[in-house]
Amino acid sequence: MNKIILFIFFILISASGFAQTITILDKSTLSPVKNAVLSSSASTRLTNDFGQVDISSFVGAEKITITSPDYISETISYERLQLVNTLYLSDKSYKTDEIVVSANKFDENLKYLPRQIEVLNSRDISFLNTQTAAKLLEKSGSAAVQFSQQGGGSPILRGYEASRILLMVDGVRINNAIFRAGHLQNILRIDQNMLDRTEILYGPGSTVYGSDALGGVVSFYSKDPKLSLTKKANYSADGFLRYSSANEEKTGSINFNIASKNVGFIGSYTYTDFQALRQGSKDVKNQAWLRKNRVERINGIDSMVSNENVYLQDPSGYYQYDALGKVLIRQNSKINHTFNFQLSNTGDIPRYDRLNTYGSNGKLTSAQWYYGPEKRLMGSYKLNLKNSTGFYDDTKILLAYQDIEESRHNRNFGAPNKTSRIEKVKVYSGNVDFNKIVKKHNFSFGLEGIYNDVNSTAFRTNINTGAVTSQSTRYPDGDDNMKSFAGYFTDTWKFSPMTSATFGARYNYVGLTVKFIDTTFFKFAQLYPDGIDQTNNSVSGNLGITFLPKDDWKIYVNGARGFRAPDIDDLSKIFETVKGTATTLGNVIVPNPELGPEYTYNAELGVSKIIANKVWIQAVGYYTWIENAIVTAPFKYNGSDTIIYDGFPAIVTANQNAQSGHIWGTSLSLNADLTNYLSLVNSVNYTYGRINTDSIDIPLDHIPPLFGRSAVVVNLSKFRTEFSIIYNAWKLKKDYNLFGEDNFGDATPDGMPNWFTLNVSAAYQFAPTLQLQLEINNLLDRNYRNFASGINAPGLNSVLSIRGGF
C-alpha cells in the first residue's frame, strides 16, 4: 500500500514539474495576449499567438516581470506563477514601447522614433465598434473627418485631406491617379472588421512612401492566418451581428482560420445595410440642414413633396460587402509566402449634399445624384526572407494589382437626361524593401515602381425614351496613365543609450500622360493636340533626433521635406464644384497643363513624460511651410472666365500653384491609469493654415477647427465600459477658404457651429467566445454637422452587437 502511495505521489510531482505552460489573457475580453514579454535576471520568454508561454526556464525566480505595450505590467514570483493556469492583464491607457512598421516598413520600437504615431490594435478596433473605417479614425480621436453623404468619410491630418494623405493597406498604396484634392470616401473600401491594427503616422512620410504623404500616412494591416503550433490542424471562427438605431444599420461579419503547421488560411466576409440616417432633433443651428422636401416622380414628372420627418436624411442609405482571403505558407523558418485577396463593393450611394441643395427658385436642384457601385479589387503576393547576410537581415518583396471602379450619376430637377460618368483604374505596383542591422545602425532601403492606367467614359440617358447620347467625360477620353519610380534609404542610429537619430532620403520620378480626343463639348483636343505629358523629379528627406534622458522622458525633434506630384485628377479633370442654374453661376474646374508639384518643409517637436508609471503626458508642435501649394483659383479657358457646363453658365477655375503657405498646430494628450481598472484618456488638436499672398494671407482650406476627445474607461473582470465626450470648436467664416473645398454654403452664415456629444459604451464577456456590446452615442440627441460636411451627423443612436466564435 505504501508503495502505491509513493508511486502516485511521484506521478503527481512529475506531472506538476512538466506542467509549465500558462496562458496570459486580457482581463476584460479574455482574449490572448500575444508577444507579452516574461523576463527575469536569468531568462526571457514571449507568449505565442494564443497567449501561451512555457515558464520552465524561470524555476526559482523571485521576480518575473510581465510586460506588453498594451497592458499594465505585472511582477510575480515563479512559485505563485506555477500555481495558476491563467494570468489576466489589465489594459493600459497609453503605449510607449509599441512595435510599429509604418515609419520605415520594418519593425521598430516607437520609443526611438522621432515621429507622432498613433496605434489602434484589434482590441481598440473591436471595442470602438464603428460602422466604417472613417468613423474608426473619428471616434478614436485620431483625426477630424468630413462627410458629404452617409457613404462617405474623408480624414483630415494636420490640415491635409484626400490626395494629400496616403492610405495604405497591407503595404499597398490605396491612393491612385484619380485621387482628388476635395473630399474622398475611398477609406470606406477598407473593412475595419478584418483589421489587426491601424497605424497613423502624422506629418510628411515622403521619404519612405513618396508622393501624397504630406499630412500623414494611415496604414491598415489586415489579420494574418494563425499557424498551428503542432502537427495537428486547427480551426477557428468568430463573427458578430450589429444593429444601430440611427440608420437601422444591420451588419454581419464572419472570420475563419484554417491552418496546419506550415500553411494557414484566413477568410473574412462582412455585409452591411444602412437605411436613411436620422440626424439629431435638439438645438438645430441651421434650418437648411433639415430634410424638408424630397423629389418624387409622379406621372412622369419630377415633383417636390414634403417630408413627414424632417430629421430623416432620405435618401442616404446604401449597402456594402467586403471579402478577404489570405494564405500564409511558411516554407521554412526563413522564408514565408503570403497571398492576399481583397474585394469591396457597394450599391448606389446617394450624394446627400447635392440632393438637399435648393436653387434661387426655391426648388431642389437635383432630382437624382448618386455614386454607382464602388469596387476595389486587390490581389497581392508578398515574399518574406529572413537571413543574416552581408546585404540584408530581412527582405520584403511585394507585388500587387488593383482594379478600381467608380461612377457618378446625376439628373437636374425637371430634366429628362441623366448624366453618367464612369472611371476605371488599374494599378500595378512592385516594392522590394531591405532591412539590415549593423552594430548601432538599423538600415532600411528599397525600390518602388507603380503604373496607373485610367479609362474615363460618359454618356447621357433620356429617362423617358431610353435614348443614349454622348456626354463630356470627367477626365481626358484618350490614353491616360501615370507611372512612378523611386528609391529610398533610411537609418536609425542609436549612438548612445539615451540618444538616437533617424535620417533618410528618397529619389522620386513621376510621369503623367493624358490624351484628348472628343471635341463635342470642349476644344481641349485642339488646344492640346498632342495631349499633355509631364515629368517630375524630386528628392525628399528627413532628419530626426530622439533623446531619452530617463526611462520616463522622451524628447524629439524632426525635420522633413514632403513632395507631391500632380496626378491626373489635379491636372486634367473637368469637374463642377458648384451647380449652376438658370439664374446663378456655377463653378467648374478645367485642365491646367502648367500645374507643377507642391513641396512642404516640416519641423516637429515632441515631448512626453511618464509620471509614476501611471500618467502619460505628450505635447507635439509642428510647423509646415508650403511651396507651390496646389489650390483652386479663378482661371481662363480659351480667353474666357466663364464656360457652359451641363447647360448652365459657370465660372472657370483651375488647380494652380500658389506662391506659398504655412500650417502650424499642436496636439496634446494626457492618459492616466488611476488604478488597474480605472483610466482617463484625453486628446486635443489645433491646426492653423494660411496661403501667403502679396497683400493678405488667405485661409487655407481643409483646416479643421479645434477638436478633441476625453474618456473615462473602466476595466473589470469580463467587463469594460467607457464614458466619452467628442467635441469640435467653432469654424468661423473668417477662417474659411471661400474658393476651396471648405463648403461654406453647407454651414451657417457665421461658419460651422461648435458641438459636442456624450457617449457611453460597454462590453461584457460571458465566455472567451461570447461577448455582448451595447453603446449609446449622442445621448443628448444634438443636431450638428462636421466641418465642411454636407450631411448631418447621427442623432441619438443605440448600438447592439453580439460577438461569438469557437
Side-chain angles (χ1 to χ4, degrees):
M1 182 66 179
N2 289 337
K3 291 183 178 180
I4 295 175
I5 294 174
L6 288 173
F7 178 74
I8 294 173
F9 180 75
F10 175 77
I11 293 296
L12 292 175
I13 292 297
S14 299
S16 64
F18 286 103
Q20 298 291 300
T21 298
I22 67 164
T23 303
I24 299 181
L25 301 179
D26 183 288
K27 180 179 181 179
S28 60
T29 67
L30 305 183
S31 59
V33 179
K34 63 180 181 180
N35 295 325
V37 179
L38 284 76
S39 61
S40 70
S41 58
S43 181
T44 299
R45 298 298 301 272
L46 288 174
T47 57
N48 61 26
D49 286 347
F50 302 95
Q52 300 169 340
V53 62
D54 186 341
I55 62 170
S56 58
S57 62
F58 296 99
V59 173
E62 294 184 1
K63 290 185 178 181
I64 303 172
T65 303
I66 304 167
T67 59
S68 170
D70 303 328
Y71 295 92
I72 298 174
S73 299
E74 295 280 355
T75 300
I76 190 172
S77 68
Y78 172 79
E79 183 179 357
R80 288 184 56 200
L81 191 58
Q82 69 171 344
L83 295 177
V84 299
N85 293 322
T86 306
L87 188 69
Y88 298 94
L89 298 183
S90 298
D91 196 34
K92 189 166 66 173
S93 64
Y94 59 91
K95 307 175 181 73
T96 55
D97 289 316
E98 185 76 79
I99 301 298
V100 297
V101 299
S102 59
N104 295 314
K105 293 195 176 183
F106 291 92
D107 291 354
E108 288 201 67
N109 194 318
L110 180 60
K111 177 191 291 186
Y112 302 103
L113 296 174
R115 304 296 300 263
Q116 182 187 5
I117 301 176
E118 179 78 17
V119 180
L120 302 173
N121 58 37
S122 58
R123 292 183 349 278
D124 299 327
I125 295 168
S126 176
F127 186 76
L128 288 170
N129 197 29
T130 57
Q131 295 181 343
T132 67
K135 286 287 187 181
L136 172 67
L137 298 185
E138 180 192 37
K139 191 174 180 181
S140 68
S142 302
V145 181
Q146 182 275 348
F147 300 90
S148 294
Q149 63 277 339
Q150 185 176 192
S154 189
I156 306 169
L157 299 178
R158 293 194 174 180
Y160 283 105
E161 185 186 351
S163 56
R164 274 73 173 179
I165 294 175
L166 181 61
L167 304 178
M168 307 280 294
V169 59
D170 293 333
V172 179
R173 292 171 60 106
I174 298 176
N175 294 42
N176 57 61
I178 63 169
F179 257 46
R180 59 186 181 271
H183 310 298
L184 287 174
Q185 63 269 14
N186 297 66
I187 193 172
L188 269 68
R189 307 293 84 79
I190 300 296
D191 179 13
Q192 74 279 8
N193 305 296
M194 73 175 185
L195 297 178
D196 179 65
R197 62 194 282 112
T198 299
E199 298 178 8
I200 305 106
L201 185 151
Y202 296 87
S206 297
T207 302
V208 174
Y209 295 100
S211 184
D212 300 347
L214 298 182
V217 181
V218 183
S219 294
F220 299 99
Y221 298 95
S222 63
K223 298 174 182 177
D224 285 321
K226 292 181 179 180
L227 299 178
S228 175
L229 300 179
T230 66
K231 293 182 179 180
K232 184 180 179 181
N234 67 38
Y235 311 88
S236 62
D238 63 82
F240 73 90
L241 298 172
R242 180 174 62 220
Y243 175 81
S244 302
S245 63
N247 54 5
E248 297 184 43
E249 177 212 7
K250 294 172 282 292
T251 294
S253 182
I254 184 170
N255 299 277
F256 56 92
N257 192 95
I258 305 171
S260 65
K261 193 171 183 178
N262 294 311
V263 180
F265 172 79
I266 189 170
S268 172
Y269 181 80
T270 301
Y271 181 86
T272 301
D273 179 77
F274 301 109
Q275 298 300 306
L277 179 65
R278 189 187 69 83
Q279 60 185 298
S281 61
K282 302 295 190 295
D283 194 25
V284 178
K285 297 292 198 307
N286 190 346
Q287 290 295 313
W289 293 349
L290 303 181
R291 184 62 166 160
K292 298 178 180 179
N293 303 285
R294 67 181 188 279
V295 176
E296 288 188 5
R297 197 155 178 84
I298 302 173
N299 297 324
I301 299 174
D302 288 335
S303 303
M304 198 168 73
V305 299
S306 298
N307 268 341
E308 294 181 4
N309 184 353
V310 296
Y311 302 108
L312 191 64
Q313 300 173 107
D314 187 23
S316 59
Y318 71 102
Y319 71 84
Q320 178 172 328
Y321 60 86
D322 300 272
L324 172 139
K326 187 183 287 189
V327 177
L328 171 63
I329 302 173
R330 184 171 62 185
Q331 184 173 329
N332 55 48
S333 61
K334 298 179 179 179
I335 303 175
N336 287 340
H337 308 267
T338 304
F339 299 87
N340 191 348
F341 169 84
Q342 297 178 21
L343 172 67
S344 178
N345 207 352
T346 73
D348 294 340
I349 302 176
R351 177 71 185 266
Y352 180 79
D353 58 342
R354 294 298 183 95
L355 294 172
N356 198 39
T357 299
Y358 292 82
S360 59
N361 59 0
K363 298 287 187 180
L364 291 165
T365 58
S366 296
Q368 292 177 280
W369 215 121
Y370 62 92
Y371 293 102
E374 299 193 356
K375 181 181 71 172
R376 181 183 73 90
L377 172 67
M378 187 190 87
S380 71
Y381 164 72
K382 181 171 70 173
L383 172 64
N384 264 28
L385 302 174
K386 292 183 179 292
N387 192 13
S388 184
T389 70
F391 188 66
Y392 70 87
D393 297 325
D394 195 352
T395 297
K396 298 177 183 178
I397 298 174
L398 179 62
L399 304 175
Y401 167 77
Q402 296 181 78
D403 191 339
I404 300 106
E405 180 177 333
E406 59 183 52
S407 59
R408 297 162 176 80
H409 310 266
N410 63 284
R411 183 173 63 83
N412 295 332
F413 184 87
N417 293 315
K418 180 177 71 173
T419 296
S420 299
R421 293 183 171 92
I422 301 97
E423 273 63 61
K424 296 181 180 181
V425 184
K426 298 183 186 299
V427 186
Y428 308 85
S429 62
N431 296 76
V432 55
D433 301 290
F434 302 94
N435 182 245
K436 179 66 179 178
I437 297 176
V438 180
K439 296 182 179 180
K440 297 180 180 181
H441 295 268
N442 189 340
F443 298 106
S444 294
F445 50 98
L447 301 172
E448 176 184 76
I450 304 171
Y451 182 84
N452 285 250
D453 181 73
V454 178
N455 179 262
S456 186
T457 59
F459 58 88
R460 177 175 288 180
T461 305
N462 188 301
I463 63 171
N464 297 319
T465 65
V468 177
T469 55
S470 60
Q471 177 58 287
S472 61
T473 57
R474 181 178 174 88
Y475 302 111
D477 53 343
D479 181 21
D480 303 339
N481 63 76
M482 185 173 179
K483 54 268 185 186
S484 65
F485 176 80
Y488 76 94
F489 170 88
T490 69
D491 176 26
T492 300
W493 178 21
K494 299 177 184 176
F495 51 85
S496 80
M498 295 187 301
T499 311
S500 63
T502 298
F503 57 90
R506 179 187 183 99
Y507 168 75
N508 306 274
Y509 163 85
V510 182
L512 181 153
T513 301
V514 297
K515 300 287 186 182
F516 301 93
I517 298 176
D518 188 83
T519 59
T520 304
F521 302 94
F522 305 107
K523 307 303 179 184
F524 296 127
Q526 296 176 1
L527 292 175
Y528 316 112
D530 298 323
I532 300 174
D533 285 288
Q534 190 177 87
T535 299
N536 292 296
N537 298 271
S538 176
V539 175
S540 305
N542 71 282
L543 173 62
I545 304 290
T546 302
F547 183 49
L548 306 171
K550 293 183 179 180
D551 289 340
D552 53 4
W553 276 96
K554 177 180 176 179
I555 303 170
Y556 73 83
V557 61
N558 184 46
R561 184 180 196 243
F563 160 78
R564 182 174 181 277
D567 62 17
I568 289 176
D569 183 273
D570 293 309
L571 188 136
S572 62
K573 74 177 173 186
I574 308 161
F575 174 61
E576 180 184 53
T577 58
V578 177
K579 180 67 183 173
T581 69
T583 56
T584 59
L585 289 173
N587 194 310
V588 172
I589 297 174
V590 300
N592 176 16
E594 303 303 320
L595 187 66
E598 56 187 339
Y599 301 89
T600 64
Y601 300 86
N602 187 79
E604 178 178 335
L605 172 66
V607 180
S608 64
K609 165 72 173 173
I610 300 173
I611 303 173
N613 287 323
K614 290 184 178 296
V615 180
W616 175 74
I617 303 173
Q618 176 179 262
V620 177
Y622 57 89
Y623 185 93
T624 301
W625 183 65
I626 310 167
E627 184 182 65
N628 293 330
I630 297 177
V631 298
T632 304
F635 194 67
K636 288 186 181 294
Y637 166 69
N638 214 13
S640 174
D641 55 7
T642 61
I643 194 173
I644 301 299
Y645 187 85
D646 275 357
F648 296 107
I651 298 171
V652 177
T653 62
N655 288 323
Q656 302 168 57
N657 294 108
Q659 293 179 347
S660 63
H662 64 273
I663 299 173
W664 64 266
T666 185
S667 173
L668 304 174
S669 301
L670 190 156
N671 295 4
D673 295 316
L674 302 181
T675 69
N676 278 11
Y677 59 84
L678 180 64
S679 300
L680 302 178
V681 179
N682 303 272
S683 66
V684 61
N685 302 271
Y686 176 76
T687 311
Y688 179 91
R690 289 294 187 269
I691 300 171
N692 307 133
T693 68
D694 295 333
S695 56
I696 188 172
D697 289 349
I698 301 171
L700 192 65
D701 51 357
H702 304 288
I703 304 296
L706 179 143
F707 69 95
R709 179 181 186 269
S710 297
V712 178
V713 183
V714 178
N715 275 297
L716 301 174
S717 178
K718 300 183 180 181
F719 179 76
R720 175 175 178 174
T721 187
E722 179 180 279
F723 302 87
S724 67
I725 176 172
I726 301 174
Y727 55 91
N728 271 218
W730 265 92
K731 176 77 174 184
L732 298 173
K733 181 180 180 180
K734 67 182 181 65
D735 295 320
Y736 269 79
N737 184 308
L738 301 180
F739 295 99
E741 302 284 352
D742 283 352
N743 297 335
F744 178 73
D746 291 324
T748 71
D750 297 318
M752 191 62 75
N754 60 351
W755 57 265
F756 71 90
T757 62
L758 299 179
N759 318 278
V760 59
S761 55
Y764 185 78
Q765 200 77 35
F766 289 93
T769 57
L770 182 61
Q771 183 191 76
L772 178 68
Q773 280 185 273
L774 176 64
E775 60 183 286
I776 304 176
N777 298 313
N778 195 0
L779 280 161
L780 302 180
D781 198 31
R782 293 180 67 92
N783 185 285
Y784 72 97
R785 180 173 285 195
N786 287 28
F787 159 66
S789 294
I791 188 170
N792 275 33
L796 178 67
N797 186 27
S798 299
V799 184
L800 177 65
S801 303
I802 300 175
R803 299 179 184 271
F806 65 86

